[in-house]
Amino acid sequence: MRARSILTLLTATVLSVATGTTFAADLVPPGSYDTTIPQIDEEDFIDPNEKVYFGWSGDYLPACDSGSAQRAVARQIARAVPSYYDGLEIKLIEEIRESDFTIRRPSPVGRRYCNGVATLSDDTRHRIYYALVQYDGFLGLSWGVKACLDGLDKFRVYDGECRTVRPEQEIIPR
């Protein structure tokens, strides 16, 4: 049915261009529209309290130091191609702190930016940056995580100094 209506609209457009006729809406002079029809105000376009996405997580994002967030970060690093981090895995994350929490700036999706110091399986310590992102899990039904070990991002997947998983005000322009 949708293809038929698109085809009808396309045919009408081609015929109007070929014959020189215009659509009825083009015949109304500017400023002569009916003022009794209620006009759309700017605040009617977006309700900031309205949920944009649907999911089971709601506005829920775990705290940076929660067990579920730490497990998700360790799991993402462990799932990387073994040669990317030279087969290293996270044993422990310490000194965890939240850098920022953003929602509706500019995206309606909530993001919690975190960092800490990760002790890896070879007992080296590296700064780790991670972002917990609302509606970024399986089918958008839960939250997801993006994590980066500073100094070990060989192919700059998260840009230099893990910039894509850090809040804007924390990044110093070069």
Side-chain angles (χ1 to χ4, degrees):
M1 188 68 180
R2 180 178 163 92
R4 179 185 239 177
S5 61
I6 291 173
L7 184 61
T8 304
L9 180 63
L10 183 62
T11 305
T13 304
V14 170
L15 287 175
S16 69
V17 170
T19 60
T21 59
T22 60
F23 293 104
D26 295 334
L27 300 175
V28 178
S32 65
Y33 56 87
D34 189 1
T35 56
T36 59
I37 299 173
Q39 301 299 310
I40 299 173
D41 294 329
E42 190 170 323
E43 66 257 10
D44 292 333
F45 286 113
I46 297 172
D47 180 9
N49 297 321
E50 185 178 326
K51 283 182 69 171
V52 176
Y53 298 99
F54 301 99
W56 295 108
S57 66
D59 291 332
Y60 173 75
L61 275 176
C64 290
D65 58 352
S66 71
S68 58
Q70 290 184 46
R71 283 189 300 276
V73 169
R75 190 170 43 247
Q76 189 202 1
I77 298 297
R79 276 195 321 225
V81 175
S83 63
Y84 193 76
Y85 290 117
D86 297 324
L88 298 174
E89 294 183 4
I90 295 177
K91 288 190 338 186
L92 179 67
I93 303 175
E94 301 172 304
E95 302 174 30
I96 298 171
R97 70 177 187 86
E98 181 177 317
S99 305
D100 195 14
F101 177 78
T102 62
I103 191 162
R104 294 180 180 85
R105 291 185 320 197
S107 169
V109 175
R111 287 177 176 78
R112 188 179 308 276
Y113 296 97
C114 314
N115 65 62
V117 177
T119 304
L120 304 180
S121 53
D122 66 349
D123 291 327
T124 59
R125 294 168 53 90
H126 291 272
R127 171 78 43 198
I128 186 164
Y129 297 96
Y130 55 98
L132 305 173
V133 184
Q134 188 179 22
Y135 308 115
D136 195 40
F138 180 70
L139 295 176
L141 298 177
S142 65
W143 57 273
V145 66
K146 309 252 186 278
C148 175
L149 286 165
D150 195 18
L152 296 179
D153 191 12
K154 289 182 189 178
F155 304 122
R156 296 176 64 109
V157 172
Y158 295 102
D159 200 14
E161 301 169 357
C162 300
R163 283 190 267 197
T164 61
V165 291
R166 294 170 66 186
E168 279 187 43
Q169 71 272 13
E170 202 175 272
I171 301 168
I172 300 169
R174 292 183 178 173

